[in-house]
Each structure stands twice: as structure tokens, then as C-alpha cells.
Amino acid sequence: MKSNPTLVKACLTWDKLTDKLKTLDTPEGSPFYSPVDFEPLKCRIDGNHAEVTVGSSPGHRTHIDLDEGTVTYYDRDPSVNEVMYDILSKEVGLTCSINVYEGVGCEGLTEDKVEDVFKAISMPTSMDIRLERCEAISYKDAPPNVARRKCKQRELQFYKTHIKNVV
Amino acid sequence: MSLTVEKHRHDKIKDWMQLEKEGRRRAYNREAPPYGDVEFLKKIKSAAKTISGRFFDLDLPRDYWLLADLVGSVADESQKQVRECIVSDTPRKDCVMAKRDDDTWRTEKKGISYAFYDLEMADEASKRLIGRRCTYLRGSIDPYNESAFLNDLTACFHVLLDAYRDKVANWQFSGKCAWRVV
């Protein structure tokens, strides 16, 4: 089935965005994306459905379905799922539910939100590593729950300032 | 929408069909030393690598990209022996790629012929994909000469091209994105 052009355009935006993010470093001095996570990134679009591989772990994928109006993000990392839940529901404006050990499922996807979804899924790649290093280095003296909260906020802030409104 | 996409699928297939034709021509020309065969094998290796990547991008079952990887490996592993035949001006029909020694297929210098065994694995992958092996002469001609080898390698490349036409030709690729166009 011929692919939906909105999905194709958004995928190409994601492609360029991830290329750009790959060149950045975190405040801890490590790459924004680890090479191991960046290498398998790919997106396959068939009709109104896109399947995006967002990392190196088996099953670290996102399904975007315009027929159903759904976005399903699969991850086993609770903190990453919490950040993705915030981005997809509060920033992109979808109606989402979260299972912290399985992922985030969202409804209410329409064509005008597709590009924002693709931008959002540039974030989870290597986010577990970024969070870990953020806590261990930048917030090493803070209580663990505070450090985790601060680091998750930092991820969200990065999305807002560097990704959300970038054309 | 402005897209920078790689060379169009059908142009590539056209180039690869020419390559297949070249393989058959070279295999048929049994009396000549294998001049130019190394360059041909390099082209096969490069084409197989591209095809394997596309199979992988589309998440096709393992046997698709396995067959592509094996064709590429065979094209790579055989170059050294072909070079030796070029240096000694040995015609393709006498240029030994593998020879049975007890139950093992070995090169002229008694090493295991990896090209022969990778072709055997390609045959197994082909059986799972299309229900038959992709080579015709491997195992039935001893010594297994360059002419028979090129015939078999080209035949496996042909199976690969059929799979590519069937599974990939209707897709467009750019960077990390792949989308169906038909």
C-alpha cells in the first residue's frame, strides 16, 4: 500500500533531527546518542502505519498508526517511559496511558500531530544512559529520588527548547 | 517535499542484471584465464552488501539477508584463489576453487575452501526461501573449477535479485527511512 506522505515527511524530519542530535554532547561530556543505539535507528512506513526502531534493545520500537490514531511506544525503563509519557501527552497533546515497565500508549493522533510525534521519538534513544550519567555525575550528591527527578526534568526541558519548536 | 534519494531502484536492478549477465559470460568462457574476475567479484560483493542492507532495513526474515551476506562472503573469499590463477595464466576450467580431500573440500593449497562451504550455506538459505538450492554444480564437479564456481555464484546472485525485485523494488529509501511507493 502506498505510504502516507505526512508520515514520510515526518520520518525524514526525524532522520535529519537524529543526525543532528548525534553530533551533540550531554553536560556530562558523553555523546547525546551512544553509537550502539544510533546505529540500528530506522523507520519503515507502509500505508498509514510507521514502525520506528528507536534504540538497540530488542523491541525498543514505536508504532504510529494513522488509521487507528494511535502511538505505541515500547520501553522497559520506567524513567524513560515517564519522560516519554510527559512529552507525548503534555507536549504533543495526545491522550496517553503508561505502564512504566512496558511503555506508553496514546490515542488521538491526527495528521497535524504526526511531525511532533516523530520529533518526540528522537528523545528516547540513549535516554537511559543520559539519565544514568546525569544522576551519577551532575547530581551525585543529591538524594537518588531528587537526582532522578532533576534529570528527567532536564530531558523534558531539552525537548522543549531544542526539539519541539525546531523546524 | 524535496527528497534526496539514492539511485532509483530500477536503475540499480538494471545494473545488477548486467552484472549477472557478465557472470554467465565469464563462466561460459572456460578456456580463458580469469582476467577481470576479481573486479567482477568485487562488484558482486558490493551489490550483495547493498541488497543485504535493504533486506535488513525492511526487517525481512533472516534467510533473505543471510543469503545476501553469504553471496557477498563467497565473492570476497574466492578472490585470492582467482588471483593465483591469473598470475599463472590458468584457464578457468583448470583453475581449482575447491577439491574433495576425504570428506572435506579444500583449496589447491590444502586449506579449507570457505567459498565452497559458504555456497553450501547459501544453498540451504535458498532452499528455505524458494524451495531449491541456488547452485547447480557445487558438489558434483571435482575439482570445482572457476568456471563452475562463477556459474554457481551467479545463479545464487540471480535468486537474490529475484528476491530484491519481489520484496524491495516497491520501496524507496532515504537515510534511516523506508517507505512503500506502490
Side-chain angles (χ1 to χ4, degrees):
Chain A
M1 191 182 173
K2 199 175 173 184
S3 301
N4 181 306
T6 306
L7 287 174
V8 174
K9 188 168 177 273
C11 179
L12 295 169
T13 299
W14 167 80
D15 178 45
K16 279 187 191 151
L17 183 59
T18 47
D19 280 349
K20 192 178 151 195
L21 291 173
K22 185 189 169 213
T23 65
L24 301 182
D25 283 337
T26 66
E28 289 76 36
S30 49
F32 190 81
Y33 292 148
S34 87
V36 174
D37 285 334
F38 182 79
E39 203 270 330
L41 296 186
K42 64 182 173 187
C43 167
R44 187 181 54 166
I45 301 165
D46 193 352
N48 281 330
H49 180 258
E51 182 182 297
V52 191
T53 301
V54 294
S56 58
S57 306
H60 197 197
R61 291 184 182 189
T62 303
H63 290 274
I64 299 161
D65 192 327
L66 268 171
D67 286 330
E68 303 279 329
T70 56
V71 176
T72 316
Y73 169 74
Y74 295 98
D75 201 330
R76 292 186 188 128
D77 187 303
S79 296
V80 177
N81 280 330
E82 282 163 1
V83 176
M84 286 311 292
Y85 173 81
D86 282 348
I87 291 175
L88 290 169
S89 58
K90 293 174 191 164
E91 302 300 325
V92 180
L94 301 174
T95 306
C96 303
S97 58
I98 179 172
N99 178 325
V100 289
Y101 298 108
E102 288 181 13
V104 180
C106 302
E107 293 176 345
L109 177 69
T110 46
E111 293 222 4
D112 58 312
K113 289 177 181 164
V114 166
E115 180 127 328
D116 287 342
V117 170
F118 270 90
K119 282 182 183 176
I121 57 171
S122 66
M123 283 298 294
T125 305
S126 294
M127 194 195 287
D128 55 340
I129 301 170
R130 292 196 300 274
L131 287 171
E132 208 169 88
R133 289 181 64 80
C134 170
E135 288 170 42
I137 297 170
S138 296
Y139 291 94
K140 64 176 183 210
D141 297 326
N145 57 337
V146 174
R148 179 123 301 211
R149 185 163 48 81
K150 292 273 186 198
C151 293
K152 286 197 291 189
Q153 276 170 359
R154 194 177 83 179
E155 287 289 322
L156 195 58
Q157 194 54 41
F158 182 87
Y159 169 79
K160 287 181 189 172
T161 52
H162 290 88
I163 293 178
K164 190 179 180 183
N165 297 316
V166 173
V167 182
Chain B
M1 180 172 29
S2 145
L3 303 178
T4 309
V5 293
E6 67 179 57
K7 195 176 177 185
H8 195 275
R9 301 284 84 65
H10 299 292
D11 289 348
K12 274 200 166 169
I13 289 176
K14 224 167 148 188
D15 289 349
W16 292 339
M17 283 167 71
Q18 284 300 318
L19 201 56
E20 182 190 340
K21 215 169 172 184
E22 183 183 342
R24 295 196 193 290
R25 183 175 53 75
R26 287 181 180 278
Y28 183 73
N29 199 352
R30 291 164 45 85
E31 302 296 332
Y35 302 138
D37 285 7
V38 171
E39 285 67 33
F40 166 76
L41 290 167
K42 283 179 182 170
K43 285 185 209 162
I44 290 279
K45 184 188 168 190
S46 164
K49 190 180 172 192
T50 304
I51 292 170
S52 168
R54 291 310 175 215
F55 287 166
F56 187 75
D57 287 344
L58 293 179
D59 276 341
L60 293 185
R62 177 177 174 270
D63 281 321
Y64 282 95
W65 48 266
L66 181 63
L67 178 63
D69 284 352
L70 287 165
V71 166
S73 299
V74 170
D76 189 40
E77 290 152 358
S78 52
Q79 288 175 25
K80 192 178 168 198
Q81 285 165 266
V82 174
R83 274 198 196 95
E84 283 166 10
C85 292
I86 292 170
V87 170
S88 58
D89 278 333
T90 308
R92 289 192 182 96
K93 67 179 170 60
D94 300 320
C95 174
V96 177
M97 300 302 287
K99 206 173 182 176
R100 194 195 288 266
D101 180 8
D102 288 330
D103 272 343
T104 307
W105 289 84
R106 295 184 184 279
T107 63
E108 192 81 309
K109 290 187 172 172
K110 301 290 177 202
I112 286 176
S113 171
Y114 292 108
F116 182 93
Y117 286 106
D118 274 353
L119 269 179
E120 186 177 40
M121 284 167 64
D123 273 341
E124 293 305 316
S126 174
K127 276 188 213 167
R128 292 189 293 269
L129 284 175
I130 61 166
R132 64 166 175 83
R133 53 188 271 180
C134 57
T135 68
Y136 293 94
L137 303 169
R138 186 192 60 78
S140 59
I141 287 186
D142 186 14
Y144 188 45
N145 61 43
E146 164 72 350
S147 192
F149 166 76
L150 279 183
N151 203 320
D152 281 344
L153 178 63
T154 305
C156 290
F157 186 66
H158 174 83
V159 171
L160 210 52
L161 284 191
D162 276 350
Y164 185 89
R165 263 189 294 259
D166 182 35
K167 299 289 178 186
V168 185
N170 293 334
W171 289 75
Q172 187 120 15
F173 297 84
S174 178
K176 297 182 261 323
C177 306
W179 62 96
R180 191 187 277 280
V181 287
V182 177

